[in-house]
């Protein structure tokens, strides 16, 4: 379908009014949307809504007990942000493995989240960091907002719980508890310009030889970026020794549900999940 | 007295003449050319792998505003078969045999309109059983890809090597066969103390030229055709186009805009080229056709995939006894140069190291897969992959150091191999010793062997491989020559008009350099004209690493004739005998003292504006002293042979299967270094191309469908993956070469995969005989062999 309307509002309120009419495609960085439409995998709706000029979506700010990252913040901006660097190093690390410099300069975190690729590079650390998606809509005169835990946000490849009249405004990350350690690992075949064959995020609070409040997530091993609850349970409070690492890694290998595709077979993905989970746990134990 | 010291450009670091334009983005490739009145073309390709075409309906496309022509096979009754095998028509009318097959073409005001018109063409197919595994091609009952009789090709010289299959062979899916033998295989087996016998599987990769395929065709009102073409073989193409189009070759002019990479991909004629001409003819307008990147992946040639069985034997002391090689080439749907790679492969089997007894056989079979063309190295990467792995295997079985094993069997200068190749110069032993010494091969190899069973996550190893390749042209065609026209104007500015094409390899720079060396003039006083068949003299084309050697000798020949004229005139003017004069820095000097007698420009003007009224213009045609092979593939086919040894150091991550190249050490017998900067770039680029072949690049063809037609999933090597490289040049001063040089354009890409395989084996004890060494493939091989992933904390 040909695009009939193009809007580039500067306020959130205006943007949401355009969305309310329905049949609208949202454009932010365009790094997923453009190739997808050109390849014919996504067709543009009648209305094209460029949200890039909505300044209030383009901020990183500290709010009580959390950091709010505006949906329009680019991967480069997040990678270099001091607040992110101080509290969410694993997110900055993931940004440093994201595509190429050119793409990082254009791609936004909101786009990465809404594109909902199981292999999306920022999604695994965001899950480990207990992120929430902040959504806004304007059904009537007022802008209404709601928050959805990211672990519940993804429904399937390219599908989320965002309603058609909603815009993702920000990602909200609670400040991690003291003693929090986090690790991110992305496996691709080369250092840059690659889509993850698998990615792993592990976080928790060091308590002596154990890890508590353990959170584990995997990318590219299921229809959605996966928060691995059974693996977390196996890890929670267990002594960080070789036997635990083996057991947790084996649980993870059972819990993930990868497929065969161009990048890797399901079997190999499971092997990587096992080997690298074990390796990361060892690394955390040594830290 | 003004004194000019003798100086030389040979071996200096000289920037490519076209570098400033290219670096500034100002080079005008075919993509950047637009002619007045030009239309844009797009091609409709098959959506089926193997099917009969029942009906093509172009009515809706023709009705679209802005469309000037829509052509199908029915609209071009005069089209004739093209390509190496002459087994396809540009536009397919009866059936399609692969996904790249051309069904219709559109010329329109814009590319977007042409693209939109394609979507309006309805094609009705009747699917046929498909044949996509070459191993099935010869089985009884296999689908037949070319059962029908094609329109007979026009009479044609026997330009191509090999035995093209006849109609009967085609009915059994055999496109071509090659057979070669030397010595007595049974005797070789009988005297062997050890024999190794393995299968090797070589995959599809493609050239990935930065500039995608493209052409502009235009007719003038007298019926003369001008093609703006990226071809590597303009003079052969004149002839091929004439044949396909039923034209007088004299009416075809080929102009090559700067070419964005060739690497062998532009050696054959492909359907899109005559299709563009058909459209220009139909519309009486210039027509431009440029591929999309996706189309480039799907419809440009690949490197030849090969299933290869090699048996090799050796005596206890390490002396090689025999090689027996059999290959199955997946020809794809049509026959291009890929099918003829045995021509080079058998040279490696018979003559890379001394082997008294050899047998070689290839069957190239038709399938519904993409078809392979020529690609830098031309079968040699495939053959070397097998041969050099088996050298290591034999050495291991015999308990001999792999370097010693190679030295023991390496050729010496002066040797004539049973296949008839005469190595006037041969630096193989020096290559082996130098590469081993610079890379510390022995110590590292021994250390890795000792650490093979240690529980480390990361394992390191070194591997070695050598190669032999033609370095003085290859006499495949009736002539392997190159012509030069050289003129010097009144200001001592030289125009070098050469048949040798520039495809990014740096030929115009090195040819200019050789002329300057002869004429004693600075580089910035030479212009090179090399891209217009109406102007330049004949050349067979850019292939077989021949341009520096053949084009260089031709340029030197013309320059020497010019020099003789100039010195004769100078002798008359100065009264000093010619033998005591030289050209240096744009002057005629007295050789003994360096005294500048007269500037070259002044001398030329006095020659021009005297009563003799003479301009200095010379011509030269160089034909190398090589020989055609006889029917049994024996003969000294090249005027010189290039050698190299490369040592690769790898690190294997046993947790993931990732293989990282840490360092490549190369020792290359290049005859002599002419342009040091140019040859370094060519060797380094070739190493990286070899690295891509070995580790990252994989054109995934599944059921005839290319699964990864884009750079997202077709993995070229990126900058951080490029290893440290240390390259040494072995200068054997070839007697026939220009200033002693040999051609080495293909050489650096040839050994990397073989050396990497040997290095992985040295690191892990696991030998992998299938490319590429992607993480999953390596991990599976390690896993199957019982190599555990690194235990936690093991490193």
């Amino acid at each position: 379908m040909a695009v009939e309307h193009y809007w580039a509002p500067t306020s959130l309120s205006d943007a949401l009014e355009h969305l309310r009419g329905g049949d609208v495609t949202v454009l932010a960085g365009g790094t997923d949307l453009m190739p997808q439409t050109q390849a014919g995998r996504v067709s543009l709706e009648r209305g094209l809504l460029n949200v890039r000029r909505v300044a209030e979506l383009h901020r990183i700010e500290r709010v009580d007990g959390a950091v709010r990252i505006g949906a329009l913040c680019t991967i480069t901006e997040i990678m270099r942000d001091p607040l992110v660097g101080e509290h969410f190093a694993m997110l900055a690390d993931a940004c440093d493995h994201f595509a190429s410099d050119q793409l990082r300069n254009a791609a936004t975190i909101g786009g990465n989240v809404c594109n909902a690729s199981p292999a999306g590079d920022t999604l695994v650390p965001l899950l480990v960091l207990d992120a929430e998606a902040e959504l806004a809509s304007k059904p009537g005169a007022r802008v209404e907002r709601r928050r959805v835990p990211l672990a519940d946000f993804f429904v399937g490849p390219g599908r989320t719980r965002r309603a058609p009249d909603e815009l993702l405004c920000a990602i909200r990350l609670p400040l991690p508890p003291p003693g929090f350690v986090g690790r991110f690992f992305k496996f691709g075949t080369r250092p840059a310009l690659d889509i993850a064959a698998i990615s792993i995020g592990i976080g928790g609070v060091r308590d002596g030889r154990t890890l508590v409040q353990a959170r584990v997530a995997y990318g590219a091993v299921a229809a959605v970026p996966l928060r691995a609850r059974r693996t977390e349970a196996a890890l929670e409070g267990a002594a960080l020794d070789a036997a635990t690492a083996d057991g947790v890694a084996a649980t993870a290998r059972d819990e993930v549900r990868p497929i065969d595709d161009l990048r890797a077979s399901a079997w190999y993905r499971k092997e990587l999940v096992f080997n690298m989970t074990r390796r990361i746990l060892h690394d955390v134990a040594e830290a | 007295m003004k004194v000019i010291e003798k100086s030389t450009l040979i071996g200096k670091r000289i920037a490519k003449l076209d570098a400033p334009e290219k670096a500034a983005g100002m080079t005008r490739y075919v993509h950047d050319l637009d002619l007045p009145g030009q239309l844009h073309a797009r091609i409709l390709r098959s959506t089926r792998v193997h099917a009969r075409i029942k009906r093509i309906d172009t009515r809706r496309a023709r009705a679209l505003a802005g469309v000037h022509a829509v052509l199908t096979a029915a609209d071009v009754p005069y089209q004739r078969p093209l390509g190496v095998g002459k087994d396809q028509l540009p536009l397919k009318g009866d059936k399609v045999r692969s996904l790249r097959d051309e069904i219709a073409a559109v010329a329109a005001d814009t590319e977007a309109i042409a693209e939109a018109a394609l979507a309006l063409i309805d094609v009705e197919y009747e699917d046929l059983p498909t044949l996509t595994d070459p191993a099935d091609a010869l089985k009884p009952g296999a689908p037949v890809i070319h059962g029908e009789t094609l329109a007979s090709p026009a009479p044609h010289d026997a330009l191509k090597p090999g035995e093209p299959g006849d109609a009967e062979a085609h009915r059994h899916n055999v496109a071509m066969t090659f057979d070669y033998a030397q010595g007595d295989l049974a005797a070789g087996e009988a005297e062997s103390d050890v024999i190794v016998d393995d299968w090797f599987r070589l995959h599809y990769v493609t050239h990935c030229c930065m500039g995608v395929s493209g052409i502009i065709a235009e007719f003038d009102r007298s019926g003369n055709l001008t093609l703006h073409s990226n071809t590597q073989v303009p003079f052969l193409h004149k002839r091929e186009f004439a044949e396909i189009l039923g034209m007088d070759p004299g009416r075809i002019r080929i102009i090559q805009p700067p070419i964005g990479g060739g690497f062998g991909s532009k050696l054959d004629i492909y359907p899109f080229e005559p299709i563009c001409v058909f459209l220009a003819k139909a519309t009486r307008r210039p027509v431009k056709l440029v591929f999309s990147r996706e189309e480039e992946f799907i419809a440009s040639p690949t490197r030849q995939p090969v299933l290869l069985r090699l048996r090799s034997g050796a005596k206890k002391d390490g002396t090689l006894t025999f090689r027996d090689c059999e290959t199955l080439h997946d020809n794809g749907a049509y026959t291009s140069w890929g099918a003829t790679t045995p021509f080079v492969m058998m040279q490696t089997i018979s003559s890379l190291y001394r082997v008294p007894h050899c047998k070689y056989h290839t069957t190239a079979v038709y399938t519904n897969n993409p078809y392979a063309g020529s690609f830098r190295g031309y079968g040699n990467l495939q053959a070397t992959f097998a041969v050099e792995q088996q050298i290591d295997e034999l050495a291991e079985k015999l308990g001999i150091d792999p370097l010693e094993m190679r030295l023991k069997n390496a050729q010496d200068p002066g040797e004539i191999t049973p296949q008839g190749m005469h190595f006037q110069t041969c630096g193989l032993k020096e290559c082996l010793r130098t590469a081993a010494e610079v890379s510390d091969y022995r110590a590292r190899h021994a250390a890795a062997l000792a650490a093979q069973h240690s529980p480390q996550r990361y394992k390191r190893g070194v591997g070695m491989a050598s190669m032999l390749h033609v370095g003085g042209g290859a006499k495949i065609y009736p002539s392997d020559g190159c012509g030069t026209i050289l003129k010097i104007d009144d200001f001592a500015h030289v125009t070098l008009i050469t048949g040798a094409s520039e495809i990014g390899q740096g030929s115009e720079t090195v040819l200019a350099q050789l002329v300057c060396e002869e004429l004693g003039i600075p580089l910035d006083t030479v212009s090179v004209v090399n891209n217009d068949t109406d102007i330049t003299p004949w050349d067979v084309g850019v292939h077989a690493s021949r341009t520096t050697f053949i084009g260089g000798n031709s340029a030197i020949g013309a320059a020497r004739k010019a020099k003789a004229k100039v010195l004769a005139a100078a002798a008359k003017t100065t009264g000093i005998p010619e033998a005591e004069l030289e050209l240096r820095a744009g002057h005629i000097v007295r050789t003994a003292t360096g005294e500048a007698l007269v500037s070259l420009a002044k001398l030329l003007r006095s020659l021009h504006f005297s009563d003799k009224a003479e301009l200095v213009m010379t011509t030269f045609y160089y034909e190398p002293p090589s020989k055609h092979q006889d029917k049994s593939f024996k003969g000294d086919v090249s005027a010189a042979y290039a050698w190299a040894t490369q040592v690769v150091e790898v690190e294997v991550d046993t947790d993931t299967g990732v293989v990282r190249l840490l360092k490549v050490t190369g020792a290359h017998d290049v005859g002599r270094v002419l342009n040091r900067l140019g040859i370094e770039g060519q060797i380094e680029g070739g190493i990286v191309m070899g690295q891509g072949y070995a580790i990252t690049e994989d054109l995934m063809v599944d059921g005839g469908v290319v699964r990864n037609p884009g750079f997202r999933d077709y993995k070229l090597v990126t900058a951080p993956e490029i290893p440290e490289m240390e390259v040494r040049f072995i200068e054997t001063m070839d007697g026939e070469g220009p200033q002693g040089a040999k051609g080495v354009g293909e050489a650096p890409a040839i050994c990397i995969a073989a050396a990497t395989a040997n290095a992985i084996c040295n690191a892990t004890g696991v030998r992998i005989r299938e490319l590429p060494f992607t993480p999953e493939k390596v991990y599976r091989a390690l896993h199957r062999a019982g190599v555990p992933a690194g235990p936690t904390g093991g490193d």
Side-chain angles (χ1 to χ4, degrees):
Chain A
M1 186 180 296
V3 173
E4 293 170 12
H5 302 285
Y6 170 76
W7 304 289
T10 53
S11 78
L12 178 61
S13 175
D14 286 353
L16 294 174
E17 279 174 24
H18 292 305
L19 260 188
R20 187 170 55 195
D23 298 336
V24 174
T25 309
V26 178
L27 168 69
T31 57
D32 283 315
L33 185 63
M34 297 305 289
Q36 284 167 357
T37 52
Q38 279 173 17
R41 285 197 303 277
V42 166
S43 48
L44 293 174
E45 303 288 347
R46 271 197 314 226
L48 182 61
L49 177 65
N50 176 0
V51 296
R52 274 192 293 216
R53 295 178 198 173
V54 182
E56 68 186 278
L57 303 182
H58 202 157
R59 282 199 290 265
I60 298 177
E61 60 196 339
R62 180 127 180 207
V63 291
D64 43 20
V67 169
R68 202 173 161 274
I69 302 177
L72 288 180
C73 292
T74 66
I75 303 305
T76 302
E77 286 162 353
I78 294 165
M79 187 173 78
R80 293 182 183 160
D81 186 79
L83 266 181
V84 172
E86 184 186 346
H87 300 293
F88 314 108
M90 67 186 296
L91 176 60
D93 191 20
C95 291
D96 197 20
H97 286 84
F98 190 105
S100 64
D101 284 350
Q102 293 92 329
L103 290 171
R104 288 175 204 167
N105 288 341
T108 66
I109 193 160
N112 202 228
V113 169
C114 288
N115 189 52
S117 161
D121 283 321
T122 67
L123 308 185
V124 160
L126 291 178
L127 285 173
V128 169
L129 293 166
D130 269 341
E132 288 181 315
E134 193 182 301
L135 298 158
S137 61
K138 199 176 176 192
R142 275 190 17 249
V143 171
E144 293 183 8
R145 293 173 194 262
R146 67 173 180 131
R147 299 207 309 234
V148 181
L150 213 60
D152 301 330
F153 187 67
F154 303 110
V155 182
R159 291 186 297 124
T160 68
R161 295 204 186 282
R162 180 180 76 88
D165 68 338
E166 283 181 315
L167 197 63
L168 177 71
C169 294
I171 299 296
R172 204 181 170 91
L173 294 168
L175 291 174
F180 180 85
V181 290
R183 291 284 187 278
F184 173 75
F185 169 79
K186 171 180 174 178
F187 183 81
T189 56
R190 61 189 181 197
L193 279 167
D194 213 354
I195 294 170
I198 65 147
S199 58
I200 305 176
I202 295 179
V205 176
R206 280 295 295 272
D207 182 8
R209 285 287 293 159
T210 71
L211 202 66
V212 296
Q213 299 181 47
R215 299 174 217 149
V216 183
Y218 292 96
V221 294
V224 294
L226 187 72
R227 181 83 186 259
R229 305 285 183 184
R230 276 164 50 206
T231 305
E232 288 176 2
L235 179 58
E236 183 67 33
L240 283 174
D241 54 22
T244 299
D246 282 1
V248 171
T251 305
R253 183 166 54 191
D254 287 345
E255 189 169 14
V256 297
R257 292 280 175 269
I259 56 166
D260 293 331
D261 66 17
L262 282 185
R263 284 177 271 286
S265 71
W267 173 83
Y268 179 57
R269 287 188 155 104
K270 280 176 170 270
E271 290 290 298
L272 288 173
V273 163
F274 179 83
N275 290 341
M276 299 318 294
T277 300
R278 203 168 60 143
R279 176 133 326 254
I280 293 167
L281 290 175
H282 168 74
D283 185 46
V284 169
E286 297 287 299
Chain B
M1 179 177 98
K2 184 177 171 188
V3 171
I4 301 173
E5 297 296 334
K6 193 172 175 66
S7 67
T8 179
L9 288 168
I10 303 303
K12 296 280 160 48
R13 306 178 67 82
I14 295 167
K16 284 185 181 176
L17 301 181
D18 58 1
E21 295 284 305
K22 282 186 172 164
M26 291 174 68
T27 303
R28 285 193 285 265
Y29 297 95
V30 70
H31 315 69
D32 306 307
L33 290 182
D34 287 307
L35 302 182
Q38 165 191 290
L39 300 173
H40 298 265
R42 299 289 294 156
I43 290 174
L44 181 72
R45 297 180 187 280
S46 172
T47 56
R48 308 300 172 90
V49 170
H50 195 197
R52 222 164 269 297
I53 301 171
K54 302 288 283 182
R55 188 177 57 87
I56 309 173
D57 185 347
T58 59
R59 281 171 298 182
R60 288 192 303 147
R62 285 178 209 269
L64 185 67
V67 169
H68 292 251
V70 182
L71 298 181
T72 66
D75 302 306
V76 197
Y78 59 89
Q79 62 174 347
R80 285 180 142 158
L82 56 70
V84 171
K86 301 276 181 270
D87 53 7
Q88 65 171 320
L89 294 170
L91 286 163
K92 280 69 178 171
D94 53 347
K95 73 175 204 174
V96 291
R97 298 170 190 82
S98 71
L99 269 191
R100 62 170 290 165
D101 278 21
E102 299 78 5
I103 293 176
V106 175
D109 286 331
T110 67
E111 222 176 316
I113 294 172
E115 188 70 43
L118 294 188
L120 299 175
I121 299 173
D122 297 312
V123 184
E124 191 185 322
Y125 298 97
E126 179 189 319
D127 282 321
L128 296 167
T130 62
L131 171 58
T132 56
D133 183 346
D136 292 338
L138 300 173
K139 290 181 181 163
V144 177
I145 311 300
H146 285 275
E148 58 295 300
T149 314
L150 271 177
S152 68
H156 195 276
D157 288 348
L159 294 179
K160 324 290 195 226
E163 287 296 319
D166 55 13
E168 179 55 25
H170 285 189
R171 273 189 280 281
H172 297 95
N173 291 324
V174 174
M176 253 186 204
T177 57
F178 285 81
D179 280 287
Y180 170 78
Q182 71 191 31
D184 175 356
L185 200 68
E189 288 180 45
E191 64 190 37
S192 301
D193 294 310
V194 289
I195 292 177
V196 289
D197 180 354
D198 306 296
W199 286 92
F200 298 86
R201 188 181 288 273
L202 291 309
H203 65 309
Y204 284 104
V205 293
T206 188
H207 307 70
C208 300
C209 299
M210 278 199 274
V212 291
S213 303
I215 191 167
I216 303 175
E218 57 171 331
F219 283 95
D220 68 14
R221 286 298 173 260
S222 307
N224 297 309
L225 171 64
T226 299
L227 295 168
H228 302 265
S229 160
N230 284 337
T231 179
Q232 294 179 230
V233 285
F235 293 94
L236 299 183
H237 266 202
K238 264 180 84 137
R239 189 195 171 99
E240 297 249 338
F241 271 107
E243 186 182 313
I244 293 159
L245 302 168
M247 280 182 72
D248 169 6
R251 288 184 172 277
I252 300 175
R253 177 184 188 183
I254 297 182
I255 298 173
Q256 297 151 288
I259 295 170
F263 309 109
S265 64
K266 295 159 176 74
L267 272 191
D268 201 0
I269 193 161
Y270 302 106
F272 80 92
E273 295 163 307
I275 286 173
C276 192
V277 178
F278 299 156
L279 289 168
K281 197 165 180 172
T283 59
R284 295 165 65 86
R285 298 267 288 264
V287 176
K288 176 175 180 176
L289 199 166
V290 175
F291 279 14
S292 69
R293 178 58 69 180
E294 186 182 5
E295 199 172 19
E296 184 78 5
F297 271 105
I298 291 168
S300 63
T302 68
R303 190 182 286 287
Q304 178 64 51
V306 175
L307 185 62
L308 185 155
R309 183 189 182 182
L310 183 64
R311 293 191 309 130
S312 305
K315 296 182 191 171
K316 278 200 184 94
D317 67 355
T319 307
L320 292 172
T321 49
F322 78 94
R323 283 201 192 109
D324 179 11
C325 180
E326 194 177 323
T327 85
L328 182 65
H329 278 41
D330 184 346
N331 199 64
Y334 306 105
T335 306
S336 181
W337 289 116
T340 72
T341 49
F343 175 71
V344 170
M345 295 175 75
M346 65 175 69
Q347 292 179 347
T348 291
I349 301 296
S350 79
S351 303
L352 173 58
Y353 307 110
R354 249 177 235 133
V355 194
H357 311 288
C358 276
K359 192 161 145 291
Y360 178 93
H361 172 78
T362 285
T363 305
V365 294
Y366 284 117
T367 64
N368 295 120
N369 288 328
Y371 66 91
S374 65
F375 193 167
R376 192 180 198 176
Y378 209 92
N380 209 346
L381 288 76
Q382 295 92 318
T384 301
F385 184 69
V387 166
E388 283 287 347
Q389 288 207 63
Q390 287 202 338
I391 296 272
D392 263 30
E393 286 183 73
L394 289 168
E396 192 190 335
K397 278 183 186 285
L398 293 166
I400 298 175
D401 174 79
L403 172 63
E404 288 309 320
M405 177 90 187
R406 287 177 171 85
L407 284 168
K408 187 168 187 64
N409 293 286
Q411 271 87 354
D412 287 308
E415 203 148 325
I416 299 174
T417 77
Q419 207 188 340
M421 300 154 84
H422 184 182
F423 304 138
Q424 315 251 12
T425 55
C426 171
L428 177 57
K429 284 181 178 168
E430 208 181 334
C431 288
L432 281 162
R433 291 197 185 100
T434 305
E437 189 187 310
V438 173
S439 65
D440 198 13
Y441 173 80
R442 273 179 216 266
R444 285 175 197 269
H445 191 265
L449 273 183
Q452 245 177 30
H453 300 291
S454 78
Q456 286 167 336
R457 172 183 176 185
Y458 295 104
K459 289 173 183 282
R460 289 189 174 195
V462 289
M464 166 182 281
S466 298
M467 75 95 219
L468 153 69
H469 205 74
V470 294
K475 199 153 282 183
I476 311 300
Y477 298 91
S479 164
D480 191 30
C482 174
T484 300
I485 301 169
L486 188 146
K487 69 176 179 105
I488 317 182
D489 71 9
D490 292 339
F491 314 101
H493 188 105
V494 171
T495 304
L496 169 67
I497 304 169
T498 174
S501 301
E502 167 72 45
I503 59 167
Q505 84 278 42
S507 69
E508 71 178 9
T509 307
V510 83
L511 297 180
Q513 183 190 353
L514 289 167
V515 165
C516 290
E517 183 71 12
E518 290 302 324
L519 296 179
I521 50 172
L523 261 174
D524 61 2
T525 59
V526 181
S527 305
V528 182
V529 174
N530 56 5
N531 68 341
D532 186 338
T533 56
D534 269 10
I535 298 169
T536 60
W538 194 86
D539 174 74
V540 79
V542 186
H543 73 121
S545 303
R546 66 184 285 283
T547 299
T548 293
F549 193 98
I550 308 285
N553 274 331
S554 179
I556 288 174
R560 285 191 178 150
K561 283 165 87 171
K563 183 175 170 178
K565 278 193 172 188
V566 166
L567 290 183
K572 272 199 185 134
T573 314
T574 62
I576 300 168
E578 272 175 67
E580 293 173 26
L581 296 175
E582 255 184 30
L583 294 172
R584 293 181 192 170
H587 289 76
I588 288 85
V589 302
R590 195 191 283 266
T591 308
T593 61
E595 179 193 351
L597 301 168
V598 58
S599 81
L600 178 60
K602 196 170 172 188
L603 180 84
L604 289 163
R605 283 196 296 270
S606 69
L607 198 58
H608 182 186
F609 301 116
S610 69
D611 50 358
K612 297 214 348 239
E614 193 178 348
L615 291 178
V616 176
M617 302 178 286
T618 61
T619 64
F620 194 79
Y621 186 72
Y622 174 74
E623 180 69 39
S626 47
K627 301 276 190 304
H628 288 280
Q629 290 182 334
D630 61 19
K631 281 206 160 61
S632 62
F633 297 107
K634 292 183 180 172
D636 191 21
V637 73
S638 184
Y641 297 89
W643 302 87
T645 301
Q646 290 175 337
V647 173
V648 167
E649 186 175 5
V650 300
E651 181 183 79
V652 182
D653 181 346
T654 55
D655 271 354
T656 61
V658 168
V659 174
R660 220 153 57 84
L661 291 199
L662 302 176
K663 184 174 177 185
V664 174
T665 307
H668 283 257
D669 171 5
V670 301
R672 189 179 187 193
V673 174
L674 299 177
N675 178 359
R676 192 166 296 273
L677 197 59
I679 200 166
E680 283 175 2
Q682 197 163 42
I683 301 275
E684 288 171 6
I687 287 172
V688 174
M689 194 170 248
Q691 178 184 6
Y693 185 60
I695 298 181
T696 66
E697 293 182 48
D698 186 8
L699 191 73
M700 301 173 189
V701 179
D702 182 5
V705 181
V706 175
R707 301 268 318 274
N708 55 340
F711 286 126
R712 189 188 71 184
D713 295 315
Y714 185 96
K715 306 285 188 191
L716 284 178
V717 172
T718 59
E721 298 156 83
I722 294 175
E724 179 191 349
M725 290 180 255
E726 190 164 355
V727 177
R728 299 295 166 93
F729 298 111
I730 309 300
E731 299 194 297
T732 48
M733 298 299 292
D734 193 86
E736 184 64 24
Q739 298 281 357
K742 301 177 181 182
V744 293
E746 296 165 277
I750 291 168
C751 303
I752 295 289
T756 302
N758 286 339
I760 292 170
C761 187
N762 180 231
T764 64
V766 177
R767 185 160 288 290
I768 309 175
R769 300 181 182 86
E770 184 176 329
L771 286 176
F773 301 133
T774 52
E776 180 162 354
K777 184 175 291 155
V778 172
Y779 185 86
R780 276 180 191 275
L782 298 178
H783 191 79
R784 259 200 310 273
V787 175
T792 306
D795 53 353

